[in-house]
Amino acid sequence: MPGSRDGSVAQRILIVQGHPDPERGHFVPALAQAYAEGAGAAGHEVRIIEIGALEFPLVRSRVDWEADDVPADIATAQQSLLWADHLLLVYPLWLGTMPALLKGFLEQLLRPRFAFGEKPGRVGHPLRGRSARIVVTMGMPAPVYRWYFRAHSLKSLERNILHFCGIRPVRASVVGSVEGSATRRERWLRRMRELGARAR
């Protein structure tokens, strides 16, 4: 593979911007864009999926989940995930977990034979070889989420979804007190640019 501008191997990075509101005034899209800018400047290839811009129904049954015909936006997202070496998943914490639309997207995306093996009921790891970073924003201070709430939803996403599909290592950034100072938000944007440049 070609090298990045810092001499490391260039990566193909898929960014899933998981805020369900398509308006771009939120901090989640800004974090995703900062990561993309850092990655692009370092020579990595980047694709971005914005959850709020997609059209897909919710999975309501096992028949829905195991169906081979997937919505067009989901099929495109699956191809982008297969293309990627690294996944960035960034979203706001709503009622203690990811927004429902993002969960619905993951249920559509990570179907049997795509994410869990070639045969129904068989657990495999077709997505092995990819790494990921989760970035979750919230109003509460990050230590409260990590220590009092034990980062339960973050750990569930890491262990029960990404690891289960073979995606590892999975790193995480918890962005707390997002309604705090502009200086703090700018610090996080710089941090995202640095992580993007390193494809971490």
Side-chain angles (χ1 to χ4, degrees):
M1 296 181 67
S4 68
R5 292 177 188 170
D6 66 359
S8 61
V9 175
Q11 299 285 299
R12 295 188 297 264
I13 300 172
L14 175 62
I15 297 174
V16 177
Q17 193 277 92
H19 201 298
D21 186 350
E23 295 297 325
R24 298 194 58 83
H26 304 287
F27 196 45
V28 164
L31 291 169
Q33 185 59 38
Y35 190 100
E37 289 169 0
H44 303 295
E45 296 181 67
V46 179
R47 294 182 185 178
I48 301 176
I49 295 173
E50 297 191 354
I51 297 301
L54 303 184
E55 294 289 341
F56 59 86
L58 295 178
V59 171
R60 295 179 180 272
S61 69
R62 182 169 180 170
V63 171
D64 287 349
W65 192 52
E66 293 182 348
D68 290 323
D69 55 329
V70 301
D73 282 350
I74 298 300
T76 300
Q78 287 180 335
Q79 290 305 308
S80 291
L81 183 53
L82 292 176
W83 165 87
D85 302 305
H86 179 68
L87 171 68
L88 174 72
L89 186 59
V90 53
Y91 63 91
L93 191 75
W94 284 10
L95 290 178
T97 188
M98 70 181 75
L101 189 64
L102 177 57
K103 181 60 160 58
F105 168 76
L106 293 175
E107 289 174 357
Q108 282 279 11
L109 181 72
L110 301 174
R111 291 165 173 260
R113 296 178 296 281
F114 175 77
F116 306 123
E118 296 181 357
K119 297 180 181 180
R122 173 186 171 193
V123 177
H125 298 288
L127 301 180
R128 180 173 289 165
R130 292 161 180 82
S131 59
R133 176 171 293 274
I134 304 166
V135 178
V136 55
T137 68
M138 61 196 65
M140 76 179 84
V144 174
Y145 178 68
R146 285 193 179 276
W147 303 112
Y148 183 78
F149 292 103
R150 300 185 181 276
H152 60 287
S153 61
L154 176 60
K155 291 177 181 177
S156 177
L157 172 57
E158 177 181 353
R159 180 182 59 245
N160 300 336
I161 298 178
L162 299 180
H163 281 181
F164 193 67
C165 298
I167 298 174
R168 62 180 67 205
V170 177
R171 302 175 179 91
S173 299
V174 177
V175 184
S177 304
V178 292
E179 296 177 356
S181 70
T183 300
R184 177 180 173 78
R185 290 194 295 273
E186 183 54 42
R187 189 161 60 242
W188 267 111
L189 292 174
R190 288 197 302 270
R191 174 65 173 156
M192 286 299 105
R193 293 186 189 100
E194 292 168 359
L195 289 171
R198 295 162 50 204
R200 294 292 294 272

